[in-house]
Amino acid sequence: MPRRPARRVLMATIPWLVDVLRGAGVQVVVEGDWLNRMRPGSFDPIGVLWHHTASTSSASNPHPALGICINGRSDLAGPLCQALVDYNGVFHVISAGRCNHAGVSGGSGPIPAGDGNTLMIGWEIDYNGVDQQMTTAQYNASIAATAAVLTRLGRDSSYARGHRETSTTGKIDPSFIDLNVMRADVAAKMAGGSTAWSSIVDNMTSGRFTASANWGVSTFSTQRYGADYRYADPVAASDPAWYRFNVPATGTYRVEAWWPTNSGYNSATPYIVATTTGNRTVYVDQRATGGQWRVLGTFTVPAGDANRVAVSRWSNATGLVIADAVRLTRV
């Protein structure tokens, strides 16, 4: 009796990826035989997963993790993502198939628990995520790419997730990004709107937060943003804690602050916003409404990399003045 021929297993791929990205206005570099570079196993993606590489990128070294993402590591075979997003926002397309980027999904939003490498297309955004946040170019390109790919998949913006949301092993990526804002920006892009630039500076963001030695460090409140926050006694002197932002263009920005709440904190904490027409001061009650983003107002902010928001100690009220995190979003 003749033997039956071996059964051929066909692996799903997304050969449309490059065309979809370019159609969205994303700059693309194709890395070698991307159509045939993939891991064995099933691949039927329903969403997009954002990561950071943990490598330090720069204008002179825009994609330090590219080789690792293509070839893998000693403990994890490549490819490690469908595309790497370099410092300048260029998408380096690595694979049209399954990649080792997501591991086991614990489930997040509409993404079910299961094999994350089957369920999601992965962007590795090349920044270190510890003392470096993603550039505006990386963010804007990733928003445009995610919106275009989800449109191609027939999914809405809720299918865009961060690795820290789906991970079962405590991943932190992508750092310094509010993933709810990311999804809102993806939704706006899918609806035909422009990408809304947004950036967060925490008191631990290296090179972006400065304060004198008069400001202490506390982990007391579980309502803090990040690992800790800063505090100081009120005095009749400014002694501000400054938050530095690289604002991409002069325009209108929503300024929000995050602080933990405590009855012993200050009821009239001054936040100073550096606008195109000078400093504006907004007073907030840090005894209430903490542990969440609170809108300070909408202001015209100049372009450039400079101190943009400060928390001042100059308050007539009693109680500790708190400096935790600030977010700017273009509106």
Side-chain angles (χ1 to χ4, degrees), residues 152-165:
R152 178 63 175 75
L153 293 174
R155 307 286 177 169
D156 62 34
S157 63
S158 66
Y159 286 80
R161 315 306 293 186
H163 196 193
R164 67 176 185 257
E165 294 179 306

Side-chain angles (χ1 to χ4, degrees), residues 112-266:
D115 185 346
N117 295 327
T118 293
L119 294 167
M120 289 171 283
I121 297 165
W123 311 147
E124 282 284 357
I125 305 169
D126 214 352
Y127 70 106
N128 70 34
V130 177
D131 58 8
Q132 181 187 33
Q133 57 188 324
M134 74 175 67
T135 66
T136 301
Q138 286 175 320
Y139 183 79
N140 289 344
S142 297
I143 291 291
T146 302
V149 167
L150 289 178
T151 298
R152 178 63 175 75
L153 293 174
R155 307 286 177 169
D156 62 34
S157 63
S158 66
Y159 286 80
R161 315 306 293 186
H163 196 193
R164 67 176 185 257
E165 294 179 306
T166 65
S167 171
T168 61
T169 59
K171 298 291 187 179
I172 65 169
D173 55 316
S175 289
F176 306 128
I177 288 296
D178 186 309
L179 294 166
N180 289 322
V181 171
M182 177 270 277
R183 281 184 281 272
D185 289 344
V186 169
K189 194 71 172 176
M190 293 175 77
S194 59
T195 300
W197 175 90
S198 186
S199 182
I200 296 171
V201 175
D202 180 44
N203 66 282
M204 288 189 67
T205 307
S206 178
R208 294 283 158 190
F209 177 87
T210 53
S212 74
N214 297 318
W215 290 83
V217 179
S218 178
T219 59
F220 173 75
S221 176
T222 58
Q223 292 183 340
R224 63 187 181 271
Y225 186 97
D228 56 36
Y229 56 98
R230 307 295 288 270
Y231 66 92
D233 290 315
V235 292
S238 186
D239 189 20
W242 277 103
Y243 297 81
R244 184 182 182 97
F245 289 86
N246 190 3
V247 178
T250 299
T252 304
Y253 292 83
R254 182 174 64 251
V255 180
E256 298 165 276
W258 183 297
W259 61 83
T261 288
N262 186 279
S263 60
Y265 293 164
N266 200 279

Side-chain angles (χ1 to χ4, degrees), residues 2-25:
R3 295 176 64 185
R4 292 182 180 180
R7 189 177 183 182
R8 187 180 178 190
V9 178
L10 297 177
M11 296 178 59
T13 62
I14 50 171
W16 43 261
L17 179 58
V18 166
D19 290 339
V20 165
L21 294 179
R22 287 176 173 157

Side-chain angles (χ1 to χ4, degrees), residues 12-178:
T13 62
I14 50 171
W16 43 261
L17 179 58
V18 166
D19 290 339
V20 165
L21 294 179
R22 287 176 173 157
V26 175
Q27 187 176 348
V28 172
V29 173
V30 174
E31 297 293 341
D33 190 12
W34 71 284
L35 286 169
N36 295 302
R37 182 190 292 124
M38 64 194 75
R39 301 304 309 158
S42 62
F43 183 52
D44 187 18
I46 61 173
V48 174
L49 193 65
W50 286 34
H51 306 262
H52 71 244
T53 64
S55 295
T56 301
S57 60
S58 65
S60 60
N61 187 21
H63 45 73
L66 180 59
I68 293 174
C69 286
I70 293 172
N71 301 310
R73 311 186 304 258
S74 60
D75 62 329
L76 189 64
L80 303 185
C81 58
Q82 277 72 34
L84 175 138
V85 189
D86 77 15
Y87 183 88
N88 300 309
V90 177
F91 265 65
H92 296 257
V93 176
I94 291 170
S95 175
R98 177 186 174 94
C99 298
N100 281 334
H101 71 98
V104 176
S105 167
S108 176
I111 305 296
D115 185 346
N117 295 327
T118 293
L119 294 167
M120 289 171 283
I121 297 165
W123 311 147
E124 282 284 357
I125 305 169
D126 214 352
Y127 70 106
N128 70 34
V130 177
D131 58 8
Q132 181 187 33
Q133 57 188 324
M134 74 175 67
T135 66
T136 301
Q138 286 175 320
Y139 183 79
N140 289 344
S142 297
I143 291 291
T146 302
V149 167
L150 289 178
T151 298
R152 178 63 175 75
L153 293 174
R155 307 286 177 169
D156 62 34
S157 63
S158 66
Y159 286 80
R161 315 306 293 186
H163 196 193
R164 67 176 185 257
E165 294 179 306
T166 65
S167 171
T168 61
T169 59
K171 298 291 187 179
I172 65 169
D173 55 316
S175 289
F176 306 128
I177 288 296
D178 186 309

